[in-house]
Amino acid sequence: MPPAHSPSAPGSPDPSAPQGAPAAPAAAGTGTGTGGGGNDTIDALDGRLIRLLAEEPRIGVLECSRRLQVARGTVQARLDRLQAKGVISGFGPEVDPAAIGYPVTAFATLEISQGQGADVRAHLARVPEVLELHTITGIGDMLVRIVARSNADLQRVIDRVLGFDGIVRSSTAIVLENPVPYRILPLVDQAAAE
């Protein structure tokens, strides 16, 4: 989230623009090409904008336009479209669980009773240490990323996760190292270049 002194937050009007003045016109070609499945792809400018926001999430729209050398209105239109299409899903801070006291990460594969999916999802959503839940194919039905304060505390978390009758079997793997942390920018670069 941009600081109070930021020229303008993404999605906010530009406070430096004269009152009543129209926004800068969008540059030609601000739309994106169409891709398969009815979803629009991103273009090179979208990719540069996403990378800039990822690298400097507190930057404002006006500074984005200066850095990208396009009109402020173009940046705003791009941001609005990317948010509306779900390409950009938020501007919140990224929090490292280890830095707030949860250095242990594990993945649990869960097998659930038939017809219990909705109830199990609701149960897992109430466990704060559950960071992600994916329904999957293969041996298990769900893959859950969990965190704990220590290896000993992990047992408490697992017990809480499994404390629901709809879960019939589980298998847990503790993460030793994260050499490629979650990232999206290489994929953005590739999509923007296509």
Side-chain angles (χ1 to χ4, degrees), residues 9 30 57 79 85-86 104 126 150 158 163 166 174:
T30 58
L79 276 174
K85 294 195 173 293
V104 176
R126 291 190 293 269
S150 64
I158 292 170
I174 298 175

Side-chain angles (χ1 to χ4, degrees), residues 60-186:
V61 172
L62 183 60
E63 185 60 23
C64 281
S65 71
R66 288 180 182 146
R67 302 263 190 100
L68 299 173
Q69 299 180 336
V70 296
R72 184 197 59 80
T74 299
V75 170
Q76 188 65 63
R78 294 284 180 132
L79 276 174
D80 291 346
R81 190 187 68 251
L82 290 169
Q83 285 181 276
K85 294 195 173 293
V87 175
I88 294 177
S89 57
F91 295 93
E94 292 181 22
V95 178
D96 180 359
I100 60 170
Y102 294 85
V104 176
T105 299
F107 290 90
T109 303
L110 309 177
E111 293 180 43
I112 63 171
S113 299
Q114 190 168 358
Q116 294 288 309
D119 293 334
V120 171
R121 286 191 291 271
H123 160 68
L124 294 173
R126 291 190 293 269
V127 179
E129 294 89 351
V130 171
L131 301 187
E132 287 184 278
L133 168 63
H134 301 271
T135 57
I136 58 172
T137 61
I139 296 172
D141 300 303
M142 295 181 176
L143 181 67
V144 184
R145 180 164 65 124
I146 56 179
V147 292
R149 294 187 179 279
S150 64
N151 285 348
D153 184 52
L154 181 59
Q155 184 61 58
R156 176 194 62 82
V157 176
I158 292 170
D159 289 344
R160 185 167 179 195
V161 164
L162 300 180
F164 189 80
D165 289 338
I167 301 171
V168 295
R169 193 171 291 110
S170 72
S171 173
T172 304
I174 298 175
V175 172
L176 299 177
E177 186 183 8
N178 187 202
V180 181
Y182 178 81
R183 65 201 183 135
I184 197 69
L185 291 181

